[in-house]
Amino acid sequence: MISQHLPVLQVVVPLLFAPLCVLLRRHTLVWCVALLVSWCSFFIAILLLQQVLAEGEIVYAMGGWDAPWGIEYRLDILNAFVLLIITGIASVVMSFARESVLKEIAEDRIYLFYTAFLLNLTGLCGVVITGDAFNMFVFIEIASLSSYAMISASQQRQALLAAYRYLILGTVGATFILIGVGLLYAMTGTLNIADLAVRIKEVENTRTIITAFAFFTVGLCIKFGLFPLHYWLPNAYTYAPSVVSAFLSGTTSKVFIYVLLRFLFTIFGAEYAFDVMLLDRILMVVAILAIISGSLAAIYQDNIKKMLAYSSIAQIGYMILGISLVSVSGLMAGILHLFNHALIKTALFMIVACIFFRFDSVLLKDLKGVGRQMPWTTMAFVIGGLSLIGTPLTVGFISKWYLIVAALEKDWWWLAALILLGSILAVIYIWKVVEVIYFQSSNTDSQSSQFKEAPLSMLIPVWVIILANIYFGVNASLTTGIARQAAVYLLGGP
Amino acid sequence: MENLLGLYNYWVAIALMMMGFYIVIANENLIKKLIGLNIFQVSVFILFISMGYLDQGTAPIYSEAYTQYSAPLPHVLILTAIVVGIATTALGLALTVRIYQAYGSINEAEIAEMDQD
Amino acid sequence: MLIESALLVPTVGALLIGLAGRYPNLREAITLLTALTLFVIVSKLYLALDAGIVIELELIEMIPGLSLSFAIEPLGILFGLVASFLWIVTSIYSVGYMRSHKEQHQTRFYVCFALALASTMGITFSANMFTLFIFYELLTLTTYPLVTHSGTDEAKRSGRLYLGYLLGTSIGLQLLAIIWTWTIAGTLDFTEGGILAGKTSDVVITVLFVLYVFGIGKAALMPFHRWLPAAMVAPIPVSALLHAVAVVKAGVFTVLKVTLYLFGIDLLAITGASEWLMYMAAATILIASIIALGKDNLKARLAYSTISQLAYVIMATAILAPMSIVGAGLHIVAHAFGKITLFFAAGAIYTATKKTKVSQLDGIGRRMPWTMAAFAIASLSMIGIPPTVGFISKWYILSGALQTEQWIAVIVIIISTLLNAAYFLPIIYAAFFRQPAYGESGHYAEAPLPIVITLCLTALATLVLFLLPGIPLQLSQSLVQELP
């Protein structure tokens, strides 16, 4: 009986437990609630994915009201996959969060922080699972607002301005999306995504639809941080509490890229978006710029978190590049990279959280020779870094492989060369950090030879996700299979 | 002529949209940015509602006396969007208060300068 | 079971070495035991190959259509035998060297060494280019801590050059070539006669070949050779590993594999895709030899000598004659034994006298007769004078060049032989026939026993292999016999 209502439970469970966190003030108790809820939602996501793989699309009408009058939740292979990513990252990050949050967030605010986290999880799950365009907007805003609150929970004052700027830019983006939804509704009379896909064909060539398309795309690009609309991203990821950076870097961009895929392929249709509006060319140019500029900017950072943030901008470029190729391989590479990048970036940010936990700094100049004192953490960083570069046996390699295959299928060898250039640039900035943490500087004091590894509660989740990096890099058949299915579905679908 | 006068609601909405957007970008005062953001959002609301209005239409509550109703869905959407807007503004204002407590100023340029050191 | 053991034994050995870190004698014993076990396993694989038994292993399908696969074939067994045998020898040498220098981080050294050998085994037995690439990258990564062993700023800079060149070429050029091959041919399996025949235009074949050869940075073909002299900063056993046991050998091995089993000699001959390679290799031979002439630092001279010798193998491959391919295979063996002896000798000199420059070696032959005798024998092998095995390999290469009337190659071989003599013979002359410099107190004697034993052993091997070239020759010849 419960299994019939799994789709709505995915959203409702975190939503219901969020106010519970406000009532329970004790930070350990609140953490337990958040942890259990995350694990529960991960479990639900796995069940839903299994169901979708076995039976095909799941349609769930909220309150029994059928579409197109009621709101429906619709699960196909693409959003089941993205749900898995979000809830998986949430579970790992929550398992890791207790000590890090205690260190980085003021004690009297911790319960509020976990409340915001659960609301964020609600919002993200809702965005992914809903089949109604306006419902999507509402959940987008729920997720965004709670993320602004989470970022500002940091004790560094730069976080406040970063959250404020993110708020302004994010709201502008969301309002653009709202305009887009409104114009679509005005022209078609429906908000249900499946219904929109059908009805939009009749009104495709009107100026209103073109405007709606433009507003949507720009609004979404602001939201997931595509160059050049990425201004909010570096500061937001850098000054947020480390747990927040880890979680947001693994989820927000993935969710909004999913929304882009849903709108471009399901609603507007691939022919309209790419042949008529020539979006693929624009996205490709922008993606290449993102890869190169993001990687170059990362090289010059002294703050590890900022470096990883710029690296994220480059990685988002990779995902969009895959999508802009509009082929099965390209889309598959893009969707695969949603999963892989979540694993890589969250792992790296979690490692930085461990380093900050012990050494109170994320600046390279303060971290010389840290490798001696935190061997397990720094070894994890090396593996995560190799995954970012795209070394074989890691997930990063699988993404790069398919991206290049997609580029070469179109005989665009110059594109393949650019993708590989991005990898080489990644070697530079990752190895900069590796050199600093492993090579002792000449003026270290005697106290620095103490063994100061991160606590086990933080170290174990880090290693779990790092080993996942290796596992899915060696045995990629599950993820590549799902990604391929999703790509085929998007291209050949309704 | 029909285009200008008949579609005046859209013109108003666009004018407000651009004004709001300009305020957000150009102004350095944090509170004024939020005001601009509000104006920007309000313009969208006006756009929606005016699109849903039917000439001679009444409020979308069923009654035997009336035959023409304004479309209910835009109203619902806008109510939701207004609430979202309120939440955003509240959060923005809360952040502004905290920024003022931390920096002593709500001028973005000054704050950026303070962060440089 | 054998191939898995070949990979597992060094890996497990690395683990055990790491655990035994606090007990140096136990740790060294484990290293030696692991090396011996590995050699036994590889020998068994050789016997299986000789008896015609086919051994294949498919571990896991990583990407749909591409799996981690292994198989045994003559070239792989040849390289495997050389690498595992020389690991034993290098381990003995390392014990002597590291202990007498009281080096830091010895456990890390031995662990990384074992892991590097595990990666090498992965390269030797790979059945497709995908598997080879994976272990090729792993080899780069596992040897990085060895190159930067001393942890000084100079080591850090050299490490950057090392990684920069090797990862830059492998990611930027080789990976591109691999994926391109995959999209063209649909497979990456090493097959006799190659997998690209008839699949695409001649231009693409040439471009692909260029990408491969320059992408295999470990072969140190100019202009991607700078990492090798930069890696000189590492301790001598590491240099031995890099130059003789594993790294550069993996490079030329990969070039040979790509030529023979991805492209196929016939395809390259028809399309002329490898002609430019012969000229590039010839140029590298000459330029590197000339630079070596000018180097006073002994290790630097040996490094440029390696670059030149590797280019011999590449040129022999590019000539595409059956005889020269045999010579290429043999030269891998000849150069390995010769160069390792030379590096061992350089290390012995440094250990005993702290000298690093050629100009300081006057009269050293009297104090360290065994070391310099071994040095002399190995130099003769490098030059290619009988009764050393270097003569045999050069003979084959020269025959192949004459057979296909590649006169440029012939001339280059002759000139470079003279150049080799020019930068090796003076050292031997100065060591034995000159008086030590004025003021030399001469309190030093031969290097510690493990060092001397090993370098004499490898020098002896160069002589023995001349007289009994059986196994390496047979394996190299079967490379070309299997070709249609």
Side-chain angles (χ1 to χ4, degrees):
Chain A
M1 223 277 298
I2 290 193
S3 63
Q4 278 180 307
H5 296 288
L6 279 179
V8 78
L9 279 177
Q10 179 84 83
V11 177
V12 160
V13 164
L15 183 60
L16 278 182
F17 282 92
L20 186 63
C21 286
V22 179
L23 296 174
L24 301 168
R25 299 288 164 116
R26 312 264 314 277
H27 54 78
T28 313
L29 219 52
V30 175
W31 170 72
C32 283
V33 170
L35 182 67
L36 287 170
V37 169
S38 309
W39 280 103
C40 185
S41 47
F42 185 45
F43 186 58
I44 296 177
I46 296 178
L47 288 175
L48 284 171
L49 182 63
Q50 280 179 333
Q51 215 180 327
V52 171
L53 283 173
E55 299 167 24
E57 250 179 48
I58 304 177
V59 180
Y60 179 88
M62 280 291 269
W65 297 98
D66 281 327
W69 297 279
I71 292 178
E72 68 174 2
Y73 282 179
R74 218 187 184 123
L75 273 159
D76 54 34
I77 187 117
L78 177 64
N79 52 3
F81 189 49
V82 178
L83 260 184
L84 189 76
I85 299 174
I86 307 172
T87 48
I89 298 290
S91 313
V92 174
V93 172
M94 270 299 110
S95 316
F96 154 94
R98 196 175 88 90
E99 304 261 355
S100 182
V101 165
L102 265 175
K103 174 155 178 108
E104 294 188 36
I105 299 180
E107 200 162 331
D108 54 351
R109 291 217 188 100
I110 291 186
Y111 71 100
L112 290 169
F113 169 77
Y114 282 110
T115 315
F117 178 82
L118 287 177
L119 287 174
N120 198 359
L121 187 59
T122 312
L124 292 171
C125 289
V127 173
V128 173
I129 207 169
T130 185
D132 180 287
F134 188 76
N135 200 224
M136 210 180 251
F137 165 75
V138 174
F139 277 118
I140 288 178
E141 279 299 78
I142 295 178
S144 304
L145 286 172
S146 44
S147 60
Y148 310 147
M150 283 202 291
I151 294 175
S152 65
S154 166
Q155 289 178 323
Q156 294 177 293
R157 67 178 193 177
Q158 292 102 321
L160 296 172
L161 195 60
Y164 181 87
R165 285 203 176 120
Y166 185 18
L167 183 146
I168 299 283
L169 283 174
T171 311
V172 168
T175 314
F176 280 174
I177 297 175
L178 182 62
I179 298 175
V181 171
L183 290 174
L184 274 182
Y185 173 69
M187 293 305 290
T188 59
T190 177
L191 288 168
N192 181 289
I193 289 182
D195 210 20
L196 270 172
V198 171
R199 294 210 194 177
I200 209 172
K201 299 248 182 314
E202 303 150 24
V203 287
E204 234 171 39
N205 294 313
T206 56
R207 246 181 297 173
T208 319
I209 296 296
I210 298 179
T211 320
F213 184 82
F215 270 116
F216 257 124
T217 317
V218 175
L220 278 171
C221 289
I222 298 179
K223 279 290 187 183
F224 62 73
L226 183 65
F227 179 93
L229 302 166
H230 65 284
Y231 178 66
W232 57 270
L233 207 153
N235 281 350
Y237 282 15
T238 309
Y239 298 114
S242 309
V243 170
V244 175
S245 307
F247 183 65
L248 288 183
S249 66
T251 53
T252 32
S253 39
K254 325 290 173 274
V255 167
F256 290 116
I257 293 182
Y258 155 78
V259 177
L260 186 73
L261 286 173
R262 185 59 76 201
F263 273 98
L264 285 183
F265 287 95
T266 309
I267 297 186
F268 286 101
E271 307 92 55
Y272 180 78
F274 299 115
D275 297 333
V276 175
M277 296 296 282
L278 300 180
L279 190 62
D280 54 340
R281 271 151 254 237
I282 303 176
L283 282 182
M284 190 183 300
V285 170
V286 169
I288 296 174
L289 286 174
I291 296 172
I292 305 291
S293 68
S295 306
L296 281 175
I299 296 177
Y300 291 102
Q301 299 303 323
D302 194 41
N303 182 321
I304 301 186
K305 285 176 84 172
K306 212 169 224 184
M307 177 199 93
L308 291 175
Y310 277 110
S311 164
S312 288
I313 294 176
Q315 298 291 321
I316 291 170
Y318 279 117
M319 295 177 224
I320 297 295
L321 189 62
I323 294 172
S324 72
L325 289 173
V326 199
S327 60
V328 173
S329 309
L331 264 182
M332 180 180 144
I335 296 173
L336 194 59
H337 205 49
L338 293 180
F339 182 82
N340 293 344
H341 181 246
L343 282 181
I344 300 172
K345 220 16 103 49
T346 306
L348 286 172
F349 269 112
M350 279 163 67
I351 294 168
V352 175
C354 291
I355 296 180
F356 183 78
F357 186 80
R358 285 290 185 214
F359 292 94
D360 291 315
S361 170
V362 288
L363 296 176
L364 277 179
K365 61 178 171 37
D366 298 329
L367 295 174
K368 294 192 184 164
V370 154
R372 235 162 279 279
Q373 295 157 271
M374 303 185 88
W376 290 102
T377 310
T378 42
M379 171 92 315
F381 186 87
V382 172
I383 300 179
L386 289 176
S387 194
L388 190 62
I389 294 169
T391 315
L393 296 185
T394 61
V395 282
F397 179 66
I398 309 282
S399 300
K400 293 271 161 61
W401 180 276
Y402 279 109
L403 209 52
I404 297 178
V405 167
L408 286 176
E409 271 177 9
K410 294 202 163 193
D411 286 330
W412 287 340
W413 53 267
W414 49 270
L415 189 60
L418 279 171
I419 296 170
L420 290 169
L421 179 65
S423 282
I424 297 180
L425 289 175
V427 174
I428 301 179
Y429 60 75
I430 289 292
W431 221 258
K432 209 172 96 166
V433 180
V434 170
E435 274 185 6
V436 167
I437 56 184
Y438 276 114
F439 287 88
Q440 197 96 25
S441 70
S442 46
N443 51 342
T444 43
D445 44 13
S446 54
Q447 150 208 342
S448 69
S449 53
Q450 255 181 351
F451 184 72
K452 259 205 227 175
E453 188 51 88
L456 220 56
S457 69
M458 290 171 85
L459 207 51
I460 294 184
V462 165
W463 272 94
V464 165
I465 203 173
I466 288 284
L467 289 174
N469 257 287
I470 299 182
Y471 176 76
F472 286 108
V474 172
N475 184 0
S477 33
L478 180 68
T479 45
T480 49
I482 295 179
R484 180 174 286 272
Q485 246 184 299
V488 168
Y489 169 77
L490 280 178
L491 278 175
Chain B
M1 254 332 174
E2 220 260 347
N3 273 341
L4 224 67
L5 293 176
L7 303 170
Y8 72 95
N9 56 325
Y10 296 110
W11 291 113
V12 169
I14 294 173
L16 280 177
M17 204 186 285
M18 291 303 115
M19 278 195 263
F21 199 48
Y22 175 76
I23 299 172
V24 169
I25 303 177
N27 225 294
E28 279 177 355
N29 185 308
L30 297 184
I31 302 263
K32 290 189 186 169
K33 275 189 194 298
L34 284 172
I35 298 176
L37 199 61
N38 263 292
I39 299 178
F40 184 59
Q41 288 178 312
V42 162
S43 74
V44 179
F45 304 157
I46 294 181
L47 182 68
F48 264 64
I49 300 175
S50 62
M51 284 195 297
Y53 177 71
L54 269 179
D55 213 11
Q56 313 292 324
T58 182
I61 301 172
Y62 181 67
S63 160
E64 309 223 320
Y66 298 98
T67 47
Q68 280 229 67
Y69 302 97
S70 294
L73 203 51
H75 295 237
V76 168
L77 300 188
I78 295 312
L79 281 171
T80 315
I82 291 176
V83 172
V84 170
I86 292 178
T88 312
T89 313
L91 189 55
L93 289 172
L95 279 174
T96 312
V97 169
R98 292 233 358 239
I99 291 179
Y100 183 67
Q101 284 172 347
Y103 287 91
S105 156
I106 52 171
N107 183 304
E108 206 185 0
E110 282 177 31
I111 297 172
E113 227 180 87
M114 279 191 252
D115 266 341
Q116 298 284 33
D117 333 311
Chain C
M1 201 49 222
L2 276 179
I3 298 188
E4 293 104 308
S5 316
L7 294 168
L8 274 175
V9 161
T11 320
V12 169
L15 193 65
L16 291 174
I17 294 171
L19 290 173
R22 238 167 280 171
Y23 309 102
N25 290 329
L26 180 61
R27 178 186 67 199
E28 260 75 301
I30 296 179
T31 307
L32 285 168
L33 202 60
T34 316
L36 276 164
T37 318
L38 187 63
F39 184 63
V40 167
I41 295 174
V42 181
S43 310
K44 277 208 172 143
L45 282 168
Y46 163 72
L47 290 172
L49 181 71
D50 206 32
I53 305 174
V54 170
I55 301 184
E56 282 168 346
L57 172 67
E58 188 179 313
L59 265 187
I60 182 171
E61 199 184 25
M62 283 179 58
I63 286 178
L66 273 176
S67 42
L68 214 60
S69 313
F70 304 93
I72 53 172
E73 53 86 35
L75 192 59
I77 294 285
L78 184 69
F79 183 23
L81 283 171
V82 170
S84 49
F85 181 73
L86 288 178
W87 188 19
I88 304 173
V89 172
T90 314
S91 301
I92 303 174
Y93 185 92
S94 307
V95 172
Y97 186 89
M98 301 299 266
R99 287 194 183 192
S100 63
H101 285 264
K102 297 203 187 359
E103 283 274 359
Q104 301 263 2
H105 302 298
Q106 288 194 31
T107 309
R108 184 179 77 192
F109 174 85
Y110 287 109
V111 169
C112 288
F113 222 96
L115 287 175
L117 259 299
S119 313
T120 312
M121 288 297 123
I123 296 178
T124 57
F125 296 123
S126 52
N128 59 37
M129 193 63 202
F130 184 66
T131 313
L132 197 150
F133 181 73
I134 293 176
F135 284 102
Y136 183 96
E137 296 290 76
L138 282 177
L139 185 60
T140 310
L141 294 170
T142 48
T143 46
Y144 176 80
L146 291 171
V147 170
T148 55
H149 181 93
S150 58
T152 59
D153 278 343
E154 200 203 335
K156 200 161 78 170
R157 271 197 302 274
S158 307
R160 267 190 220 162
L161 269 175
Y162 186 77
L163 267 191
Y165 272 97
L166 289 182
L167 283 182
T169 49
S170 65
I171 294 178
L173 300 170
Q174 200 188 139
L175 185 57
L176 183 58
I178 293 175
I179 302 183
W180 202 343
T181 315
W182 164 249
T183 52
I184 294 176
T187 173
L188 285 173
D189 291 337
F190 288 128
T191 328
E192 300 206 21
I195 55 175
L196 285 167
K199 292 277 172 62
T200 178
S201 70
D202 287 359
V203 176
V204 173
I205 298 268
T206 313
V207 171
L208 264 182
F209 196 62
V210 171
L211 285 175
Y212 269 116
V213 173
F214 282 124
I216 302 174
K218 293 200 172 80
L221 187 67
M222 288 187 170
F224 297 116
H225 65 285
R226 268 299 273 131
W227 62 272
L228 197 54
M232 301 303 317
V233 70
I236 284 278
V238 177
S239 298
L241 173 73
L242 258 54
H243 290 246
V245 180
V247 179
V248 298
K249 296 286 169 279
V252 287
F253 171 81
T254 312
V255 172
L256 261 174
K257 279 275 249 228
V258 166
T259 310
L260 290 174
Y261 298 120
L262 281 186
F263 286 86
I265 292 196
D266 294 326
L267 181 65
L268 287 173
I270 296 173
T271 58
S274 59
E275 268 211 43
W276 62 274
L277 181 58
M278 200 186 69
Y279 297 117
M280 283 291 322
T284 305
I285 296 176
L286 290 176
I287 300 178
S289 301
I290 296 174
I291 299 181
L293 270 176
K295 291 285 178 190
D296 196 27
N297 183 306
L298 183 56
K299 281 171 79 169
R301 189 175 284 204
L302 294 178
Y304 278 97
S305 163
T306 302
I307 298 175
S308 160
Q309 297 288 326
L310 291 174
Y312 267 117
V313 179
I314 299 180
M315 191 174 78
T317 315
I319 293 177
L320 296 179
M323 292 275 262
S324 63
I325 303 267
V326 173
L330 266 178
H331 203 61
I332 291 181
V333 181
H335 177 252
F337 279 96
K339 202 34 80 60
I340 207 174
T341 313
L342 290 172
F343 269 106
F344 281 172
I349 296 173
Y350 179 67
T351 308
T353 67
K354 292 280 178 279
K355 295 190 195 199
T356 57
K357 293 194 189 299
V358 171
S359 48
Q360 297 167 328
L361 297 179
D362 291 347
I364 200 171
R366 277 166 236 266
R367 297 283 169 192
M368 307 180 72
W370 291 100
T371 305
M372 290 319 290
F375 190 96
I377 297 174
S379 307
L380 293 179
S381 184
M382 293 280 99
I383 300 171
I385 298 178
T388 61
V389 63
F391 170 71
I392 302 187
S393 57
K394 242 189 200 160
W395 178 262
Y396 271 95
I397 300 178
L398 200 53
S399 307
L402 284 169
Q403 200 178 55
T404 50
E405 296 179 3
Q406 297 280 15
W407 306 118
I408 306 256
V410 173
I411 296 175
V412 166
I413 294 177
I414 297 176
I415 297 183
S416 61
T417 309
L418 293 171
L419 285 172
N420 287 351
Y423 61 72
F424 276 126
L425 292 178
I427 304 180
I428 306 173
Y429 179 78
F432 285 112
F433 298 111
R434 286 237 190 101
Q435 294 296 331
Y438 182 75
E440 281 272 329
S441 44
H443 278 310
Y444 53 87
E446 270 290 10
L449 200 57
I451 295 183
V452 177
I453 291 183
T454 48
L455 54 87
C456 288
L457 189 64
T458 50
L460 201 62
T462 55
L463 295 172
V464 167
L465 280 171
F466 172 78
L467 297 170
L468 303 168
I471 296 178
L473 188 56
Q474 174 206 15
L475 284 171
S476 307
Q477 280 173 331
S478 56
L479 277 180
V480 289
Q481 269 158 15
E482 287 174 1
L483 296 173

